[in-house]
Amino acid sequence: MEIIRDARQMQQWADSARIAGEKIACVPTMGYLHEGHLSLMREGRRRASKLAVSIFVNPAQFGPNEDLNSYPRDFERDCALMETVPVDVVFAPTPAVMYPPGFQTWIEVTEITQGLCGARRPGHFRGVATVVAKLFNIMKPHLAIFGEKDYQQLRTIERMVRDLNFDVEILGMPTVRERDGLAMSSRNAYLSPEWRTSALAISQALKAAAGRLAQGATHARELREAAQATLHEANGLNVQYLEVVDALTLKPVDRIEAPVLVAIAAFAGSTRLIDNCVLTPPVRHQRPPRA
Ligand code: PAF
């Protein structure tokens, strides 16, 4: 497994692979890898002949009061995990490589970033879109794979790729969960056993919303109430948002007539966790008109 820290060198690696007729899949990450990341990498391995992974804790997507400095990092452990996939090349630049002095070009995806995490983390998706665009230009993948746990991020990147004509296919993959339902996240490493137990209420709340839809709910309010009741029972969770939005536009909905995203962000202590599920309304059979 090759480790490259320089952007030009990474571009040369990608150029050579392309000239040799290889298909490059890329999995952008911020490291501290877990099974969720590895599932994306295995999918990349299946779908392409070369697998490139980036490890870069992107300062541009963290707010001033967020966890940039304490974000968990363990490059050696990450490398050992990537060897098991196996990964062909790791691009692990420093912040100075990605944002050299004089850097002043940013990408804003204006609409789909308005609500949910975008509303609570000003500048976050600007940082994500910009770094992902840079990674695409540096790693030159044919295919890039992202997890659906960061659903708004995935939709933002898809929008950017369409709007700016990036020649890269975007693939979203289902959230990988612990056996008890907690969505895998590098930030789970921050959780004490007590907060880990409280955090379980997030995935349980999503299940409650899904159950309510299956029982015949027709309005977003009913799903929110079902999820809220479960979150309410959890010890000390501080819910930042619980929203039901259209799964494509991410705009709030009232009646559920098309797939919706139920999305939750909550603080377990000082750890911010997010999770979501997409729910599709059942086809309701209309009574045939009376003869
Ligand atoms: O999902 C992440 O880990 C990051 O937001 C990403 C896509 C690697 C950009 O820094």
Side-chain angles (χ1 to χ4, degrees):
M1 188 174 73
E2 206 172 325
I3 297 171
I4 298 180
R5 297 195 179 270
D6 176 67
R8 186 74 206 107
Q9 215 181 319
M10 184 66 230
Q11 285 171 322
Q12 281 160 357
W13 183 96
D15 287 341
S16 307
R18 279 177 169 258
I19 288 164
E22 308 281 8
K23 178 173 176 181
I24 306 172
C26 123
V27 179
T29 81
M30 298 206 299
Y32 212 71
L33 303 176
H34 52 68
E35 187 50 38
H37 296 113
L38 296 177
S39 75
L40 307 183
M41 292 177 204
R42 287 188 208 110
E43 191 61 25
R45 191 74 275 173
R46 270 192 288 279
R47 288 177 182 249
S49 54
K50 289 287 178 194
L51 176 59
V53 172
S54 65
I55 295 202
F56 178 60
V57 182
N58 174 32
Q61 68 189 74
F62 287 78
N65 299 318
E66 294 184 350
D67 56 344
L68 172 63
N69 291 331
S70 59
Y71 195 84
R73 294 161 168 91
D74 190 341
F75 189 65
E76 281 194 11
R77 177 178 160 276
D78 287 347
C79 284
L81 287 170
M82 285 186 286
E83 295 273 14
T84 67
V85 176
V87 169
D88 294 303
V89 64
V90 184
F91 178 53
T94 59
V97 165
M98 294 302 274
Y99 302 106
F103 184 91
Q104 52 187 285
T105 305
W106 299 95
I107 295 182
E108 300 248 17
V109 182
T110 53
E111 245 177 69
I112 206 148
T113 59
Q114 290 292 305
L116 305 177
C117 291
R120 280 87 186 177
R121 302 184 70 188
H124 172 69
F125 287 115
R126 176 192 198 244
V128 169
T130 304
V131 83
V132 170
K134 282 175 68 74
L135 291 171
F136 287 172
N137 284 333
I138 294 169
M139 301 171 82
K140 307 193 185 190
H142 297 87
L143 166 72
I145 310 178
F146 298 87
E148 288 173 354
K149 187 174 85 67
D150 296 298
Y151 190 91
Q152 192 176 17
Q153 166 173 285
L154 173 62
R155 290 276 168 261
T156 299
I157 291 164
E158 284 172 345
R159 187 72 254 169
M160 175 187 80
V161 162
R162 250 177 283 148
D163 289 352
L164 298 183
N165 303 86
F166 277 97
D167 191 11
V168 52
E169 181 193 347
I170 302 299
L171 177 69
M173 292 286 294
T175 302
V176 177
R177 297 178 181 282
E178 304 284 357
R179 288 166 77 91
D180 57 10
L182 182 71
M184 289 201 183
S185 162
S186 304
R187 290 190 169 97
N188 290 351
Y190 296 141
L191 297 171
S192 68
E194 293 74 22
W195 282 123
R196 167 85 181 57
T197 304
S198 301
L200 265 186
I202 300 172
S203 56
Q204 285 164 355
L206 295 172
K207 269 201 200 137
R212 192 69 197 83
L213 185 68
Q215 284 161 8
T218 52
H219 286 77
R221 174 184 36 82
E222 297 169 81
L223 305 195
R224 270 197 310 273
E225 282 168 6
Q228 185 60 56
T230 307
L231 287 171
H232 193 69
E233 286 162 20
N235 228 347
L237 268 194
N238 176 9
V239 179
Q240 190 180 41
Y241 67 74
L242 157 57
E243 291 195 29
V244 179
V245 296
D246 181 274
L248 285 181
T249 63
L250 305 193
K251 298 222 163 98
V253 292
D254 180 20
R255 268 190 81 84
I256 303 171
E257 286 160 340
V260 289
L261 176 81
V262 185
I264 298 174
F267 285 91
S270 55
T271 307
R272 185 175 182 277
L273 301 171
I274 57 171
D275 200 355
N276 69 76
C277 65
V278 174
L279 301 178
T280 303
V283 181
R284 296 187 208 283
H285 296 290
Q286 287 180 348
R287 254 191 237 152
R290 286 206 192 140

